[in-house]
Amino acid sequence: MAGKDALPREQVEQALLGLPDWRYSDGGLVTVFKTPTAASALELIAAVGRAAEDQNHHPDLDWR
């Protein structure tokens, strides 16, 4: 479900032209980051969490 600040789908598609590793799926943007170690994956997750807090945005993160 789109939030009140969500971009129109056309704007999202246009922005994705400059983000080759991202795609639009199930109403949201999706990408995959591969890290060499579990510790570096956790550092990445923590960095995303800090940025998300600063923006009052709370993305779904999936660590596998």
Side-chain angles (χ1 to χ4, degrees), residues 5-6 8 11 14-15 20 22 26-28 33 37 40-41 45 50 59 64:
D5 295 330
Q11 258 187 293
Q14 186 65 33
W22 288 79
D26 296 325
F33 292 97
T37 65
S40 62
I45 290 168
R50 286 189 297 274
R64 297 179 191 205

Side-chain angles (χ1 to χ4, degrees), residues 2-3 9 12 19 24 26-28 32 37 39 41-42 46 53 55 58 60 62-64:
R9 178 70 186 258
V12 171
L19 299 168
Y24 188 84
D26 296 325
V32 173
T37 65
L42 290 172
E53 284 296 315
Q55 297 296 315
H58 302 91
D60 294 329
D62 186 6
W63 176 33
R64 297 179 191 205

Side-chain angles (χ1 to χ4, degrees), residues 5-6 12 25 30-31 37-38 43 46-47 49 51-52 61:
D5 295 330
V12 171
S25 176
V30 178
T31 194
T37 65
E43 290 172 7
L61 302 174

